[in-house]
Amino acid sequence: SNGLAGSNNIQQVVIDLVSSGEVYIDNIYFYKTNGGGGTGGAPTSPAPTPSEMASNVISIYSDAYTDVARDGFNFYGAAAFEEVQIGGNGALKYTAAEVDGGNFQVIELGGANQIDASGAGMTNFRFDIWFPNESDATTAFLMKLVDFGTTTSEAQLNINAASNPALSTGSWLQFDFPFSELQSNGIA
């Protein structure tokens, strides 16, 4: 279904580069309020260090925080997903394949590691990406949150030229989605 109906059993983060190429991803986490540069190619500096207090964060992937337990990475389709070091900081590198059969990858939290974001008072979902490829109006990056609550639901975050910030080449871009904004996609 389209739209995240809940946020207390989040079990997957799905990554899909809708067009060809690759993307680097870092600092994927939920947080609650209150409480490098370049021009294309792979990044040489890590993503900016997040500033949220660790006590206000549930980290899925970041060197800045202690990550929640994960069941690993599920490799669906032909795309490649690997952990790389950028300036001494870990990041995920996703490379789309030019073949049929799917191009998405999943950060699998697993049944025992489901995140109860709403129960923990989380208010936002945030991640950083670096897009080294040429981009145009048809270029897109997709991230989905999947909640396995009473009914399985998902929130689809489509990053493209119309996003804020717009998908662009050669710099770290930070995306921050308040849960209130995701409610239009069904998050409860």
Side-chain angles (χ1 to χ4, degrees):
S1 73
N2 192 15
L4 197 60
S7 60
N8 53 349
N9 293 294
I10 296 174
Q11 189 167 326
Q12 292 180 337
V13 177
V14 179
I15 313 284
D16 190 356
L17 191 58
V18 178
S19 52
S20 63
E22 60 192 29
V23 66
Y24 295 81
I25 309 156
D26 199 2
N27 298 322
I28 305 169
Y29 60 90
F30 297 98
Y31 73 94
K32 58 184 171 184
T33 55
N34 303 337
T39 57
T44 56
S45 298
T49 303
S51 61
E52 285 75 32
M53 292 176 28
S55 60
N56 289 339
V57 169
I58 298 174
S59 180
I60 296 168
Y61 187 90
S62 176
D63 279 358
Y65 303 109
T66 301
D67 296 338
V68 295
R70 296 185 301 264
D71 281 355
F73 304 105
N74 287 332
F75 304 103
Y76 296 95
F81 208 31
E82 63 182 303
E83 292 184 271
V84 297
Q85 289 291 308
I86 300 169
N89 184 64
L92 298 174
K93 179 183 177 187
Y94 169 92
T95 305
E98 300 289 336
V99 298
D100 292 333
N103 252 321
F104 67 94
Q105 299 299 315
V106 175
I107 301 171
E108 187 69 59
L109 299 171
N113 304 320
Q114 293 178 22
I115 295 173
D116 183 355
S118 59
M122 300 293 111
T123 58
N124 293 58
F125 178 67
R126 179 187 176 271
F127 58 92
D128 299 326
I129 64 171
W130 175 289
F131 197 72
N133 318 298
E134 290 186 30
S135 61
D136 60 27
T138 64
T139 305
F141 168 79
L142 174 71
M143 185 176 283
K144 286 196 286 189
L145 297 176
V146 183
D147 184 274
F148 289 95
T150 306
T151 59
T152 300
S153 62
E154 59 189 40
Q156 182 170 299
L157 309 171
N158 193 356
I159 308 301
N160 54 43
S163 300
N164 185 14
L167 185 63
S168 61
T169 301
S171 64
W172 284 106
L173 304 171
Q174 181 181 88
F175 293 91
D176 192 323
F177 293 92
F179 276 26
S180 59
E181 183 179 329
L182 295 177
Q183 286 174 342
S184 63
N185 288 330
I187 201 169

